[in-house]
Amino acid sequence: MIKICSTEDVPKGTAISADVDGTQIAVVHGEDDNFYAVYDECSHAAVALSEGEVDGCTLECWLHGSRFDLRTGEPTGLPATEPVPVYPVEVRDGDIHVSLTPSNGVTR
């Protein structure tokens, strides 16, 4: 697990982008009050998901509106049809830690 930032750096309902050993990760504070980490690139178009809108447990790509479930990486709205990698997150002592081994088996 790699320390990314403080939980205070990611207000509820927002996402930030982090470079973790050369991998761009979107760290998201879901509206369910949990923290999530997904690969920070839409599987439909090469744009940053961290710039999109958080809605419940989904993240919407700002360019074409593809939506991804933050828990599974699965697309829940077209035009994306391929999932994005999802990374395990642990919150310890107010800090967000992420593993670079995708929990959903999807590689980028």
Side-chain angles (χ1 to χ4, degrees):
M1 290 287 204
I2 300 165
K3 180 180 168 184
I4 306 298
C5 61
S6 166
T7 56
E8 294 176 3
D9 294 334
V10 192
K12 189 172 183 175
T14 67
I16 64 163
S17 182
D19 183 317
V20 183
D21 291 343
T23 300
Q24 286 301 123
I25 304 285
V27 178
V28 184
H29 191 169
E31 291 177 357
D32 63 353
D33 222 18
N34 289 314
F35 290 90
Y36 300 94
V38 299
Y39 184 58
D40 194 13
E41 184 175 283
C42 180
S43 63
H44 171 255
V47 297
L49 288 175
S50 60
E51 296 174 11
E53 293 292 318
V54 177
D55 182 16
C57 289
T58 63
L59 185 57
E60 182 176 342
C61 178
W62 62 269
L63 187 59
H64 297 118
S66 296
R67 296 169 68 89
F68 297 91
D69 188 309
L70 293 167
R71 299 162 292 194
T72 65
E74 290 295 323
T76 60
L78 293 174
T81 58
E82 297 295 318
V84 293
V86 172
Y87 304 97
V89 175
E90 283 183 17
V91 176
R92 286 183 261 167
D93 300 322
D95 292 321
I96 299 169
H97 299 258
V98 173
S99 167
L100 286 182
T101 303
S103 58
N104 62 347
V106 176
T107 56
R108 54 185 176 106

